[in-house]
Amino acid sequence: MCRWWLLTLCDAGDGDDLQAALLEWTGQRTVPNVFIKGKHIGGCDSVTELHQMGKLVPLLNDVGAVANTSAQL
């Protein structure tokens, strides 16, 4: 079973504090700031690059986020 969590900073009352924490944890305060199974992946460019290199679907498959490696994202 895959669980996910989406947090929209503009809807969070403490969005500035969350961005400061992201900067401390990841070196990146911009969003999206993507984590997969607790591992920081990066932002949109990093996720896009993983997909273009054929590494995103296997990573998602490994954590149970997709049913099989033939999934198209």
Side-chain angles (χ1 to χ4, degrees):
M1 177 180 186
C2 178
R3 295 183 317 182
W4 60 275
W5 181 46
L6 170 68
L7 174 65
T8 305
L9 295 177
C10 62
D11 293 334
D14 56 352
D16 289 337
D17 292 337
L18 290 169
Q19 281 187 293
L22 285 171
L23 179 60
E24 182 179 327
W25 298 333
T26 68
Q28 169 186 329
R29 68 174 275 130
T30 58
V31 292
N33 207 322
V34 179
F35 293 79
I36 298 176
K37 197 156 185 165
K39 178 182 177 195
H40 182 246
I41 302 302
C44 180
D45 291 343
S46 299
V47 172
T48 300
E49 183 179 343
L50 281 174
H51 181 58
Q52 290 172 342
M53 294 183 331
K55 295 182 177 181
L56 181 60
V57 171
L59 178 61
L60 293 171
N61 193 25
D62 288 347
V63 300
V66 293
N68 61 56
T69 57
S70 66
Q72 297 296 311
L73 299 178

